[in-house]
Amino acid sequence: MKTARYSASRQKACQSCSNAKAKCDRKAGSCSRSGNFSGRGLLCPINVDSISIRWMNPYIPVPGQTIKAYPPTIIAFIYRVLKSYASIAVRGRGIPPFVHSSQVTATSSSPPIATCLSLVRICDTSLPGSDDVAADVLMREMNNLYERREAYDDDMASLAAFQAYLIYSMVLFFRLQRGADPFLRQAVMALQEIACSSSRRGLLCPAEQQRARPRWEAWIVAEAKRRTLFTMYLFDSVLSARDGLPTFLGTELRGLLAPSDKALWQAGARYDWETSYNVHLVDWVEGALRIDELWPIPADLDEASVVKRRGRVDQWLENVDEFGTMIYAVTSCTHANMTLPIPPPAEEPYSIFDKRQRALIVLIVSVTATFSGFASNIYFPALPTVADDMGVSIELVNLTVTSYLIFQGVAPSLWGPISDVKGRRAAYCCTFLVFLGACVGLAESRNYTSLLVLRCLQSTGSASTIAIGSGVIGDISTRADRGGLMGVFQAGLLVPVAVGPVIGGGLAGSLGWRSIFWFLTIYTSVFLALLVFLLPETLRSIVGNGSRTSSLNAITRYPLNLYQRTTEIKFLRESSPPVAAAERKHTVDVTGPFRILVSRQAAPIIFFVAVYYAVWQMSITAMSSLFAEKYGLGETQIGLTFIANGVGSMVGTLITGKILDVDYRRVKAPHQGAPPSEAAETGPEDDEFPLEKARLRLIPIFSVLQCMSVMLFGWTIRYEVHIAVPIVSTFITGWTAVATQSVVMTYLVDVFHDRSAAASASLNPARCFFAAGGTSFVMPLINAIGVGLAFTVCVAAQCVAMLCLAVQWRFGTAWRREARQKAQEKQDGPAGN
């Protein structure tokens, strides 16, 4: 039978070009737009199992892990770049740089990536409620991809599934703001499993390893896999930064090739790619650049090898595309030692004090801070005894507590400027001498008038030890490690709250109330001697980072010269860093704290916390008299009842702070889709950032708990319920009171971040004055209407004060914006004129 005339195909273009209505550049069947994109024969030079469990690294340490110390600006840079990749896919304006053009322009396009690039387009137009629907659609498709991860029979399909899952994840995070969704963290774990499955099929062409030209289609699969893998690691870094987790160097990727030349990746035809690859082989006779050559230079690498590596990086940068440039920007800013031709000169340390010296200094200033608490709390159990011995009413003795609180609020404003100008040691010595003299006078006091006056003098000498100690820690620490040192310091502040009443009760019960002040006299004398011999001058305007001694007199120079000789930190003597303007001698703005106190941005919240602090102090002041009257306790037993309040206060400092950090991170992360680092930089400066929500939303919980505990305290004493119940209530009161103060203090520092010291000072007199007023009439109030109704009145005042919290929540953002605009206009005014 005669063959049909058209039995053989007369098509003059390959099927791919025919379907695309494109001109075929070669004869049918071998067009550069078509081809077998199977990656069979690829090699896998790494341990891919480490990829699938990378999410576990922050939780289960692996020996040899190296943390990538990403600066906040680099995290923000990675965030913006990856966000642009998601936007490219959503808007359909191109393809992300880890997807090769041949994957979407030929019949080789695999369904997962083709479906992905079509499906994410539904996120382009945001309508009310549409984001939730789009997220559900994407998450269902991601689940389907994960279930079929082992079913793909060729490398291109497996790669496409990997790329599609990564794009879906980035769209959920960057475009649909699903950063706080638990699904995303599960998706990252699934993504790493898919990456492991795809990488196991091969990441390197054998010809690349042999420094020969591979098959174009196989090279596309290998190169796209490597780029997608690098992108996934960067995305994981952003998510880890958001969650506050460390990011580790991906040592499991060692040996993979860095992103290829721009000419190779963007070649649209086989012939063009082959020509470019021939040139590439000539340029890279010793093999292409590996990704680990962008990592930190090993310490054992000789100088010649270092120069050679840097030369290879320079050569790679000449022809790399924007994706490779981004990889280089991240690694070069993170590991600066690998690209600088000359190592940077050693910088002077911020402080010359090494770890053990700083520990000693922090211990000393923590002990100094206990004097304020001891002088206040050690006195409480002896109040009834003092009243009987002096022949005055308990109300008059409570006035000595009131006067102490008043001077506790005022004294730091007097001693603080002295320590900022004359030095920390001079301020400490003066305050302790005043305190020592007051203790001796109180121990010998014979009448109520001298008792009242000397308590004021004692408060003047002890109250400023906290402010001066905070200054010392600021002198010797940077922002990176200041938080941990301040935590130790603040824990020391609360020790007297727990043990002070116990010591006071024991001394008053066995040796009389005057022995309390003799104890403080001995304690002060011994510690003052230790302070003079062990605490060096740290004020940076005088000693810089601790290396300056030439301008100091012999008294001030000691014991700093001993610290200089024994420190393990290298420094240049008499060549400390220049002193910042804020650290130099300056005119003290005494009115600054009071201007903040009456400002709209601070007055409501300060009034709120002052009321709650006053109620707390009122309950503590009344405890000794109430327990003695209702339960017949002696001084020693009364002292023991104060332990619960002190322990609650310490819990409020050590535990609540961590809760607040986690909650603040939770609010901050999804704000405008910004990463944590970026939000941290712009948060206080950004008037649109929900600062009130981020900082104050836990206060109602603490407030309700404190109101309930105060009410429980009053009424259980009124009906003489078992003493364990009111004691437990003081634990809750101490916890919630300290927690509330911590939240408000942090909020004020955020609002007045350029005047944080003044903001702290504005809160101190307000709460002390309110507490002074409250403690002065708490016993008359109890005697007049009863303990239950008296503390009910206190709770009612706290409920009214919560209106101030509501006002701050409602109008705080607008007030901050107006204040910032006025400050900016005032600053720009002279320039405009």
Side-chain angles (χ1 to χ4, degrees), residues 356-372:
R356 56 188 175 80
Q357 291 177 340
R358 287 201 303 174
L360 176 60
I361 294 173
V362 172
L363 175 63
I364 294 173
V365 297
S366 297
V367 176
T368 61
T370 63
F371 280 84
S372 178

Side-chain angles (χ1 to χ4, degrees), residues 400-415:
T400 63
V401 178
T402 302
S403 61
Y404 187 95
L405 290 171
I406 292 175
F407 279 81
Q408 191 178 48
V410 174
S413 301
L414 303 176
W415 290 112

Side-chain angles (χ1 to χ4, degrees), residues 318-339:
E318 294 175 5
N319 301 304
V320 78
D321 66 344
E322 68 277 5
F323 181 81
T325 303
M326 184 270 294
I327 295 292
Y328 171 76
V330 171
T331 55
S332 65
C333 292
T334 308
H335 312 300
N337 67 332
M338 53 173 208
T339 56

Side-chain angles (χ1 to χ4, degrees), residues 45-120:
I46 65 174
N47 178 18
V48 295
D49 292 331
S50 300
I51 298 175
S52 63
I53 59 173
R54 180 171 174 78
W55 62 271
M56 298 175 59
N57 289 355
Y59 307 102
I60 304 177
V62 176
Q65 281 184 329
T66 302
I67 294 180
K68 290 189 287 189
Y70 279 141
T73 51
I74 292 301
I75 287 291
F77 171 72
I78 299 173
Y79 175 90
R80 291 299 182 193
V81 171
L82 297 187
K83 183 179 180 182
S84 71
Y85 294 172
S87 298
I88 287 173
V90 168
R91 301 185 66 186
R93 299 296 177 85
I95 54 176
F98 54 86
V99 178
H100 195 267
S101 59
S102 63
Q103 295 182 257
V104 295
T105 59
T107 55
S108 60
S109 177
S110 186
I113 192 63
T115 302
C116 172
L117 296 177
S118 298
L119 197 57
V120 295

Side-chain angles (χ1 to χ4, degrees), residues 612-627 642 645 706 709-710 713-714 717 729-730 733-734 774-775 778 782 791 794:
Y612 276 73
Y613 181 82
V615 173
W616 178 37
Q617 291 299 308
M618 291 167 68
S619 65
I620 295 176
T621 304
M623 276 179 62
S624 55
S625 299
L626 292 173
F627 284 160
F642 282 83
N645 178 71
Q706 184 173 348
S709 65
V710 171
F713 176 79
I717 292 180
S729 72
T730 62
T733 304
T775 55
V778 61
I782 291 174
F791 283 103
C794 293

Side-chain angles (χ1 to χ4, degrees), residues 722-801:
H722 191 279
I723 194 173
V725 179
I727 289 177
V728 170
S729 72
T730 62
F731 172 87
I732 301 174
T733 304
W735 180 0
T736 53
V738 172
T740 302
Q741 290 181 74
S742 300
V743 176
V744 173
M745 179 64 71
T746 305
Y747 172 75
L748 291 176
V749 172
D750 284 345
V751 175
F752 302 97
H753 56 280
D754 55 340
R755 293 172 288 168
S756 57
S760 303
S762 67
L763 181 60
N764 194 55
R767 63 188 179 90
C768 288
F769 292 161
F770 272 63
T775 55
S776 65
F777 72 81
V778 61
M779 291 309 300
L781 182 64
I782 291 174
N783 294 333
I785 63 177
V787 61
L789 286 177
F791 283 103
T792 301
V793 171
C794 293
V795 171
Q798 289 180 302
C799 294
V800 173

Side-chain angles (χ1 to χ4, degrees), residues 375-672:
S376 175
N377 291 274
I378 202 173
Y379 183 57
F380 287 139
L383 293 180
T385 305
V386 173
D388 293 339
D389 188 57
M390 291 288 183
V392 296
S393 65
I394 189 66
E395 289 80 6
L396 287 177
V397 175
N398 283 345
L399 286 178
T400 63
V401 178
T402 302
S403 61
Y404 187 95
L405 290 171
I406 292 175
F407 279 81
Q408 191 178 48
V410 174
S413 301
L414 303 176
W415 290 112
I418 294 177
S419 71
D420 286 337
V421 175
K422 299 299 183 181
R424 313 300 186 193
R425 279 167 57 88
Y428 267 137
C429 291
C430 292
T431 56
F432 274 103
L433 288 175
V434 172
F435 182 77
L436 181 61
C439 288
V440 173
L442 285 166
E444 294 293 332
S445 178
R446 301 301 174 188
N447 57 72
Y448 175 76
T449 302
S450 62
L451 179 71
L452 181 65
V453 172
L454 289 172
R455 279 289 286 173
C456 296
L457 188 63
Q458 186 187 42
S459 178
T460 303
S462 65
S464 298
T465 55
I466 298 174
I468 301 173
S470 300
V472 171
I473 291 180
D475 294 337
I476 65 175
S477 62
T478 63
R479 290 183 180 179
D481 55 4
R482 190 170 298 155
L485 298 182
M486 286 297 294
V488 176
F489 175 67
Q490 291 176 357
L493 302 181
L494 298 174
V495 170
V497 179
V499 303
V502 178
I503 297 175
L507 291 173
S510 58
L511 301 176
W513 66 269
R514 299 179 192 279
S515 63
I516 293 175
F517 298 106
W518 284 121
F519 167 78
L520 290 176
T521 299
I522 298 172
Y523 180 32
T524 305
S525 301
V526 173
F527 186 76
L528 180 58
L530 293 176
L531 185 144
V532 171
F533 284 105
L534 296 179
L535 182 68
E537 180 57 62
T538 62
L539 183 62
R540 299 184 70 83
S541 61
I542 296 179
V543 299
N545 62 357
S547 60
R548 287 193 211 145
T549 53
S550 59
S551 60
L552 306 182
N553 56 45
I555 298 177
T556 308
R557 188 182 299 123
Y558 179 86
L560 182 59
N561 49 10
L562 297 180
Y563 279 81
Q564 291 177 347
R565 289 199 295 267
T566 58
T567 183
E568 296 178 355
I569 295 178
K570 297 181 180 179
F571 65 97
L572 299 178
R573 196 174 299 276
E574 307 298 339
S575 181
S576 60
V579 180
E583 296 172 331
R584 294 174 186 154
K585 185 185 295 186
H586 58 282
T587 302
V588 179
D589 183 11
V590 180
T591 62
F594 298 99
R595 290 202 305 271
I596 294 177
L597 179 61
V598 298
S599 66
R600 290 189 304 176
Q601 305 99 289
I605 196 65
I606 289 179
F607 179 83
F608 165 82
V609 77
V611 171
Y612 276 73
Y613 181 82
V615 173
W616 178 37
Q617 291 299 308
M618 291 167 68
S619 65
I620 295 176
T621 304
M623 276 179 62
S624 55
S625 299
L626 292 173
F627 284 160
E629 176 186 348
K630 297 291 185 178
Y631 297 97
L633 301 184
E635 288 89 346
T636 303
Q637 294 170 318
I638 291 174
L640 293 174
T641 64
F642 282 83
I643 294 178
N645 178 71
V647 173
S649 302
M650 286 187 283
V651 170
T653 296
L654 300 176
I655 296 180
T656 307
K658 297 181 180 179
I659 297 176
L660 295 177
D661 287 343
V662 172
D663 187 67
Y664 181 70
R665 237 181 355 251
R666 189 175 302 162
V667 175
K668 182 174 58 176
H671 176 59
Q672 296 181 345

